[in-house]
Amino acid sequence: MVLPGLLETLGRSEKSSERRKSEWSSAQEYIVEKMGAENLRITQLRLVTALLWTLIACCTIYRRFDLPQLRWVLMLHHLMAAVGVDEAILMSFAASEPFALRLLRPGTPVTPWIPRLLPRKQTVLGAGVYAGWVLLAAVQLITYRVADQDVLLFTGIFLLACIFDRGLFHSTRPSDILKFLVSSLLRPDSTYMLLACLYFWSGFYKVRGFFHGFVFQYQFLNFSGVSWLFRRCYLTQDYRPRPFSRLFGQFGAWLETFAGLGMMLSALPHLGVVFVVLALAMHVFIFFFGMGPFRWNVMTCYMLLCSTKLRMESAGMPGGEAWTLPSVCCALYVGFFGWVIPGIGCLDPEALGRYFGGYRMATFHFAGNEMYHALLVCKDYLTSLEPSGPAGSVRKLLLERRQDYLRLSEDLDLFTALLYSDGLDVEGALRRGFRRPSGLEDFEDFDRKYMFVPITWLNCRGPLLNTKWDESLPITESFVDLVGEALGFESRMPRGAILVFVAHPMVWMGGQRKLLELFDLTDSKWCEHRWREEVDLPWTQVTEELEDKKKPLL
């Protein structure tokens, strides 16, 4: 899907004609009137393309509702994501190393699943396994090979290819496609139940304020080809969320939660159909009034209808019976992916990212409360670098960014940082915390010495390591290593060369503060020069003032 600010990453706007950061009244105005406006035509084009795709698909691949066709559809969408031709295709156009070409070319950066054993550069073996899987998947789709053994072969070789680069695994939406493909090997009930868990957790996680207080207005609606045209309906004159928009976003979150819960508990005849229709209506709203992903929503609607039909048939009567899972293996599979992983995400979001696949694996779709990283690179170390050298594409990007870069405080990416961190004032945090890790006393010196480099920007403009970005994943560390390599620090890095800013996600269960950190890359976790601060939940500072504005909505 399109990342906000894609036109900036494509470099189509002239720097001389851009408004300076100080000329915008607020970050919210920039996000809406600059980023939202520039992405409007792209999003509208994506919507029209998705409508054509839906029309063609409904006349061809979505006409049948049986198990073989469900598997074929899931295999098709999984392959499209694995070669980067799903809704992330525009990211490949913006990146210096497109996703599929990176995987096919030995020597390009990768994130191996076992970094201590496998190299951080693509190998001939890794590229060969990936190319072989792509050819195998294409042959299976053309010849309609969707039997159990075919699905096992498809899945097994794909997972083997992912050992060499975990970015391949995360880029395919495994929790939204591969998980359901594997469940089709168990029982039709398992696919239906996993879908119910998806709706439940996706809605349940959103009931905290970070969704309906910020993400709903500034991402979900702002980057929609339709909703942006009605931005004054959900934003005030100073670009703050109106109370009605917050209530509507929270209502939608609870509606999604009850749709999933109703599907899980639909023991009464015909009652389950009501919740299925509710889930379908939610997808229609997302398709026309949200930022996407469009084709994934259509595919999920098909999967929902198909799995509902298969469940009814397995129950032996229309409307279905109470869900039963006689198979222990099936129960464990649904329990782990449908309950254990989301539960871990609510209790420890950072452990979720490091060990369990991130917020997408927990089905926390477009909820917010994500981890945010940015590097602060000392400009002195860029003055003597040549464009060619280690990590060439990253080095070239850093040198291009260094040109005409005068002050950190005039960087417009400080506004986009607010977008990706649920409304956090990143510049304010840097002003409060720069002294301890940098060793400088005057922010004026810090402002001129360092360059702000968001990790999201590196992923979109540099080597495209992951098309479904989540900064809690270990792939983020690969970019930190690439920047160090690009600066020529292959062995020992001098202190002060690279600082790291991290905005940690809040713990969903009872969390009321957000942890921020700023530290030198050479510092240990317990170093006294490491700056740490817990701040109020940022989305409560962005929303329009309420009678009790210090109290979060939930």
Side-chain angles (χ1 to χ4, degrees):
M1 61 180 300
V2 177
L3 278 180
L6 178 66
L7 292 184
E8 286 90 340
T9 66
L10 289 172
R12 290 181 182 174
S13 55
E14 295 294 332
K15 289 185 178 180
S16 59
S17 62
E18 286 187 355
R19 290 169 59 181
R20 295 165 58 90
K21 177 173 173 285
S22 57
E23 295 174 343
W24 293 94
S25 63
S26 66
Q28 291 81 12
E29 182 193 13
Y30 176 82
I31 291 169
V32 175
E33 299 298 346
K34 179 68 160 60
M35 299 179 69
E38 286 195 341
N39 280 276
L40 180 64
R41 295 291 177 255
I42 291 178
T43 309
Q44 290 174 339
L45 178 61
R46 290 173 55 226
L47 177 59
V48 172
T49 304
L51 286 170
L52 292 175
W53 164 266
T54 303
L55 179 63
I56 296 172
C58 288
C59 296
T60 54
I61 62 176
Y62 293 155
R63 292 182 63 182
R64 287 171 44 197
F65 295 88
D66 53 37
L67 184 60
Q69 188 64 17
L70 174 61
R71 289 178 174 178
W72 191 92
V73 167
L74 291 171
M75 291 167 69
L76 171 66
H77 284 80
H78 184 81
L79 175 62
M80 291 171 63
V83 297
V85 297
D86 60 349
E87 300 208 4
I89 189 170
L90 290 179
M91 295 179 68
S92 289
F93 282 109
S96 60
E97 296 183 50
F99 183 72
L101 292 180
R102 178 183 65 81
L103 289 170
L104 290 170
R105 190 162 49 210
T108 55
V110 293
T111 308
W113 213 276
I114 312 175
R116 294 184 179 180
L117 299 179
L118 297 173
R120 291 185 176 272
K121 302 291 183 182
Q122 180 66 294
T123 62
V124 174
L125 178 60
V129 174
Y130 172 71
W133 175 80
V134 171
L135 291 174
L136 170 69
V139 169
Q140 287 182 319
L141 289 170
I142 293 171
T143 58
Y144 207 82
R145 299 183 65 89
V146 292
D148 288 0
Q149 61 269 23
D150 299 309
V151 173
L152 287 171
L153 183 64
F154 178 95
T155 305
I157 298 183
F158 170 75
L159 294 177
L160 180 62
C162 291
I163 293 177
F164 299 94
D165 181 37
R166 67 185 302 160
L168 171 61
F169 179 78
H170 297 297
S171 295
T172 57
R173 285 181 171 268
S175 64
D176 299 326
I177 302 176
L178 187 64
K179 176 178 72 177
F180 294 103
L181 178 62
V182 174
S183 73
S184 71
L185 297 170
L186 304 173
R187 288 177 52 121
D189 303 61
S190 58
T191 303
Y192 177 87
M193 194 62 175
L194 283 173
L195 270 172
C197 293
L198 183 151
Y199 294 126
F200 174 80
W201 287 108
S202 179
F204 189 67
Y205 196 74
K206 291 186 179 82
V207 299
R208 289 297 304 259
F210 43 78
F211 175 74
H212 54 79
F214 187 87
V215 173
F216 181 62
Q217 295 84 3
Y218 295 109
Q219 291 193 30
F220 184 89
L221 297 177
N222 186 54
F223 296 106
S224 163
V226 176
S227 298
W228 185 86
L229 301 173
F230 304 95
R231 58 196 180 280
R232 288 305 177 192
C233 295
Y234 55 87
L235 296 174
T236 63
Q237 291 297 321
D238 57 351
Y239 301 97
R240 295 181 182 274
R242 294 186 184 274
F244 171 78
S245 69
R246 297 196 298 273
L247 291 174
F248 186 81
Q250 191 174 38
F251 173 75
W254 282 113
L255 207 63
E256 187 176 10
T257 304
F258 287 125
L261 187 63
M263 287 173 61
M264 284 186 280
L265 303 177
S266 56
L268 296 177
H270 306 291
L271 184 59
V273 177
V274 175
F275 296 104
V276 170
V277 172
L278 186 62
L280 291 173
M282 177 194 65
H283 282 292
V284 172
F285 176 82
I286 294 172
F287 188 92
F288 286 102
F289 298 100
M291 64 180 292
F294 300 108
R295 281 180 289 176
W296 175 81
N297 272 279
V298 178
M299 183 212 72
T300 307
C301 286
Y302 169 79
M303 181 165 55
L304 175 61
L305 292 173
C306 192
S307 63
T308 301
K309 176 177 178 290
L310 294 172
R311 176 182 178 274
M312 290 179 177
E313 291 175 350
S314 66
M317 60 174 293
E321 298 176 350
W323 182 68
T324 58
L325 278 180
S327 168
V328 174
C329 180
C330 190
L332 291 174
Y333 185 86
V334 173
F336 182 71
F337 286 103
W339 289 97
V340 174
I341 291 181
I344 291 173
C346 289
L347 297 173
D348 191 344
E350 296 194 36
L352 173 71
R354 180 160 294 277
Y355 304 111
F356 297 98
Y359 72 92
R360 279 189 172 88
M361 186 61 74
T363 65
F364 301 156
H365 296 113
F366 292 104
N369 192 38
E370 301 175 29
M371 182 176 281
Y372 178 80
H373 289 80
L375 304 180
L376 293 103
V377 179
C378 181
K379 293 187 290 184
D380 296 341
Y381 292 97
L382 292 169
T383 54
S384 60
L385 288 180
E386 296 293 330
S388 59
S393 62
V394 175
R395 175 179 286 199
K396 184 178 179 181
L397 275 176
L398 293 174
L399 290 175
E400 290 176 356
R401 192 176 180 89
R402 171 68 175 85
Q403 294 178 359
D404 303 323
Y405 195 100
L406 299 178
R407 290 175 175 272
L408 182 151
S409 58
E410 279 295 322
D411 195 332
L412 286 167
D413 273 321
L414 289 171
F415 284 165
T416 63
L418 179 139
L419 176 69
Y420 293 121
S421 57
D422 306 324
L424 177 70
D425 180 11
V426 175
E427 181 179 350
L430 294 177
R431 288 180 179 273
R432 295 192 301 274
F434 76 94
R435 291 183 180 84
R436 192 180 298 173
S438 68
L440 302 172
E441 289 298 325
D442 191 352
F443 183 79
E444 181 76 13
D445 297 333
F446 181 81
D447 197 18
R448 294 181 178 276
K449 183 176 182 179
Y450 284 94
M451 180 174 69
F452 190 73
V453 183
I455 295 293
T456 306
W457 178 82
L458 283 172
N459 183 61
C460 194
R461 290 296 308 276
L464 187 52
L465 299 189
N466 183 9
T467 64
K468 310 298 182 293
W469 191 239
D470 177 357
E471 295 190 25
S472 68
L473 299 172
I475 299 173
T476 301
E477 299 171 4
S478 296
F479 276 110
V480 177
D481 294 338
L482 284 172
V483 171
E485 184 181 344
L487 295 179
F489 306 138
E490 297 185 6
S491 56
R492 186 173 182 179
M493 182 179 301
R495 179 172 177 78
I498 301 176
L499 307 183
V500 184
F501 174 80
V502 184
H504 293 268
M506 174 200 72
V507 176
W508 191 93
M509 296 291 291
Q512 298 295 337
R513 306 280 286 177
K514 192 174 185 69
L515 174 64
L516 310 180
E517 287 189 293
L518 181 62
F519 55 91
D520 191 286
L521 198 56
T522 61
D523 288 343
S524 70
K525 187 176 181 180
W526 299 275
C527 180
E528 62 180 4
H529 299 295
R530 196 181 186 103
W531 176 78
R532 295 165 62 94
E533 180 182 79
E534 289 191 349
V535 298
D536 292 334
L537 302 180
W539 51 90
T540 64
Q541 311 303 312
V542 174
T543 55
E544 189 179 32
E545 290 188 2
L546 303 175
E547 291 183 2
D548 185 8
K549 64 180 182 180
K550 295 183 179 180
K551 183 179 180 181
L553 290 178
L554 184 67

